[in-house]
Amino acid sequence: MTDIKIAVVTGANRGLGLETARQLAQGGFHVVLTARNPQAGAQALRKLQAENLSVELRKLDVNSTEDALALAHYLREHHRRVDVLVNNAGILPESSREAGAKSTDALKVSPLTVMEILNTNTLGAVRLIQALAPLMPEGARIVNVSSGMGALNDMGGGYLGYRISKAALNVVTRVFAHDLADRGISVNSACPGWVRTDMGGPGASRSVEKGAETIVWLATSPQPAGSGYFWRERKQIPW
Ligand SMILES: NC(=O)c1ccc[n+]([C@@H]2O[C@H](COP(=O)([O-])OP(=O)(O)OC[C@H]3O[C@@H](n4cnc5c(N)ncnc54)[C@H](OP(=O)(O)O)[C@@H]3O)[C@@H](O)[C@H]2O)c1
């Protein structure tokens, strides 16, 4: 048991999740990295431990309510609290699984694929918030890693499942911002921009360090950014 602040990051074994975990630990948090694949998680853990950061690993598939509840139980027993939750885990199977020019075509995507994306990108965050909110003290922060691809204000075509999942994640942000306000817990959505990860690809415009910046800022800034908003590059953006 310790008084150090505790952060939990989902999908922390690679990409933006790993970098967010790194930056939070560099900022003085004890970071609980979570990953659905324990081997991949252990590799990420070793990287951050080699940088002398305060980190540990727990197995978490965000599609599993059982995993989320087991994580909550562990955190209650070992840390008593959660100060920051970053709902980062996400998938974009529309661009990888159904290869070819039609791969992102809204007229072709299977409704089952759409449901699979929603289960991870949207309900994953719901499972974690429901499981961990009871451990969050006043001042705790939840950051949902969303995307401009879910902004109704700037909606393009294709990627139907992904776009629905991120628009719905923004609803999750608004609803929990409302429902956790009386406990002083903030909930915000962050768009990292187009980032060079496995998902973003090598041609993306942003480094992973830059992509994680606004997420970490929302989670740690001494001047809280309010609650129930959508952010990119530390600026509020329209839904
Ligand atoms: N990269 C971009 O340009 C960009 C832009 C806007 C928003 N985002 C969002 O940023 C977040 C991170 O994306 P990224 O670019 O870092 O993608 P990434 O490199 O593909 O990493 C995705 C992470 O999510 C994990 N994950 C997927 N399904 C999971 C599940 N069921 N349970 C637990 N973990 C799961 C993956 O674990 P495995 O290794 O086990 O697959 C991996 O750690 C996502 O929510 C994404 O939508 C990314």
Side-chain angles (χ1 to χ4, degrees), residues 139-144 170 172-189 217-218 223-231 236 239:
R141 301 187 195 179
I142 297 169
V143 182
N144 293 325
N170 287 344
V172 170
T173 292
R174 295 285 289 200
V175 170
F176 282 106
H178 184 273
D179 288 0
L180 294 172
D182 60 350
R183 290 179 45 199
I185 299 170
S186 71
V187 190
N188 284 288
S189 282
W217 172 74
L218 285 168
Q223 272 86 44
S227 187
Y229 301 111
F230 193 14
W231 302 85
Q236 210 183 313
W239 298 106

Side-chain angles (χ1 to χ4, degrees), residues 37-59:
N37 175 334
Q39 282 77 36
Q43 264 189 359
L45 183 73
R46 281 194 292 275
K47 273 185 209 158
L48 299 190
Q49 283 173 333
E51 297 168 26
N52 287 319
L53 296 172
S54 178
V55 286
E56 68 178 298
L57 172 70
R58 302 301 299 174
K59 191 251 175 195

